[in-house]
Amino acid sequence: MARSLVLSLTLAFLFIGMVSARDWNILHQFKGLKSTKTTTSQKGVATLKDPNLTGYCESWRINVELHNIRDFTVVPQECVWFVQKYMTSSQYEDDVERAVDEAILYLGKTCCEKKKCDGMDAWIFDIDDTLLSTIPYHKSNGCFGGEQLNTTKFEEWQSWGKAPAVPNMVKLFHEIRERGFKIFLVSSRKEYLRSATVENLIEAGYHGWSNLLLRGEEEEKKSVTQYKADVRTWLTSLGYKVWGVMGAQWNSFAGCPVPKRTFKLPNSIYYIA
């Protein structure tokens, strides 16, 4: 009898543990709170904060990062609040920091050090949400992916040159530069934004890159993916070895030639192919 009771209690505790593990979520902010109804902000953004949605929205965000969800034009309305909360949280900063740490570990395994680099070892960075954060833009416009990106307004904001550095990225940028790599900045920004972009990068703490490539009239006729792949082809034709590419959109890595290593930073606010 006692043995059966002990076995029953053990199974019960195991079951409770399984349920708890299944329900646990790193971003679960609403445990124990009652569900809230859908409300709409003055700008028309749904702000449904039902705790039952947390798992769904985290799953949606993760599958965007895994590139299982592609070509979305807007964030699902029921998840806009969640994307905003994540992108403005310490968790986002921690995730970027982990990517930076992994990149630095990778650098230690490459053959390129100051005393060994031959001047043809390259690293590519995207700019928006890789070196410079667009989160202030989304905060001021209050949409965080709930509306299709307004290119005109977004480019106007870029022209102000006030974007802050993405957390921990200045550290990585200079770590790579000091190891002797040639740094190439390859952005989907248009050529007319060059002056504002250069000033913004310097103000944010970046300097010493080898080239800044933006899209001129001819490049604007191509998809962003093709444009960035063509840049890698050009660098390779010049004899550069592209050791790594870092970006917040999958278009930074798609196409050939494939770099030796890629590092994706989180960004589920918008998708650009």
Side-chain angles (χ1 to χ4, degrees):
M1 180 72 177
R3 184 177 178 182
S4 298
L5 181 60
V6 170
L7 180 60
S8 297
L9 288 171
T10 302
L11 290 173
F13 281 123
L14 285 172
F15 176 74
I16 292 170
M18 289 172 65
V19 171
S20 298
R22 175 65 180 84
D23 290 343
W24 182 86
N25 187 290
I26 194 169
L27 294 178
H28 201 297
Q29 305 290 332
F30 306 101
K31 189 174 181 180
L33 299 180
K34 293 182 179 179
S35 299
T36 58
K37 296 181 180 180
T38 304
T39 58
T40 304
S41 70
Q42 292 180 348
K43 297 190 177 182
V45 178
T47 57
L48 181 62
K49 297 185 179 180
D50 188 328
N52 295 325
L53 276 176
T54 305
Y56 168 76
C57 292
E58 172 66 348
S59 177
W60 182 86
R61 188 189 71 79
I62 288 295
N63 276 277
V64 168
E65 301 301 346
L66 293 173
H67 214 205
N68 294 329
I69 296 175
R70 307 182 182 186
D71 300 318
F72 66 90
T73 55
V74 294
V75 173
Q77 286 298 306
E78 62 270 28
C79 294
V80 172
W81 68 271
F82 184 88
V83 170
Q84 177 175 356
K85 193 166 190 71
Y86 170 73
M87 294 298 294
T88 57
S89 71
S90 60
Q91 184 63 53
Y92 164 74
E93 294 185 12
D94 289 346
D95 291 346
V96 172
E97 185 175 16
R98 175 54 60 88
V100 168
D101 289 344
E102 291 300 318
I104 291 174
L105 283 174
Y106 167 68
L107 287 170
K109 299 175 182 178
T110 67
C111 67
C112 184
E113 298 174 1
K114 266 192 171 182
K115 60 184 179 181
K116 295 181 180 178
C117 282
D118 60 5
M120 299 304 290
D121 297 282
W123 191 282
I124 296 174
F125 283 107
D126 192 3
I127 293 179
D128 289 307
D129 294 306
T130 302
L131 297 182
L132 300 176
S133 174
T134 69
I135 289 175
Y137 170 82
H138 297 287
K139 279 184 176 179
S140 64
N141 285 274
C143 57
F144 274 88
E147 301 172 2
Q148 193 165 356
L149 190 66
N150 185 315
T151 304
T152 302
K153 288 177 65 176
F154 187 53
E155 289 180 3
E156 180 183 10
W157 179 81
Q158 289 173 325
S159 72
W160 298 343
K162 300 298 183 182
V166 171
N168 300 294
M169 290 303 295
V170 173
K171 165 189 170 183
L172 177 62
F173 180 94
H174 291 296
E175 176 81 17
I176 292 173
R177 184 181 62 81
E178 289 168 6
R179 286 175 180 261
F181 288 84
K182 295 291 181 65
I183 294 179
F184 293 88
L185 309 183
V186 184
S187 173
S188 61
R189 290 188 176 202
K190 295 178 181 178
E191 181 61 39
Y192 83 90
L193 291 167
R194 178 173 294 276
S195 294
T197 301
V198 169
E199 291 175 8
N200 197 163
L201 286 164
I202 294 173
E203 182 68 24
Y206 303 103
H207 57 82
W209 60 82
S210 294
N211 203 342
L212 168 62
L213 295 116
L214 304 177
R215 297 171 77 193
E217 290 184 6
E218 288 302 313
E219 286 75 26
E220 288 180 37
K221 297 175 183 178
K222 305 175 184 177
S223 67
V224 177
T225 296
Q226 187 60 56
Y227 155 65
K228 292 185 176 181
D230 287 348
V231 170
R232 294 197 302 276
T233 299
W234 172 67
L235 290 174
T236 302
S237 72
L238 295 177
Y240 284 101
K241 300 178 288 291
V242 180
W243 287 92
V245 177
M246 201 162 203
Q249 292 283 322
W250 282 95
N251 59 40
S252 291
F253 321 121
C256 295
V258 178
K260 294 179 183 291
R261 184 72 189 267
T262 61
F263 294 89
K264 170 75 168 61
L265 294 185
N267 179 12
S268 48
I269 300 175
Y270 55 89
Y271 184 98
I272 299 175

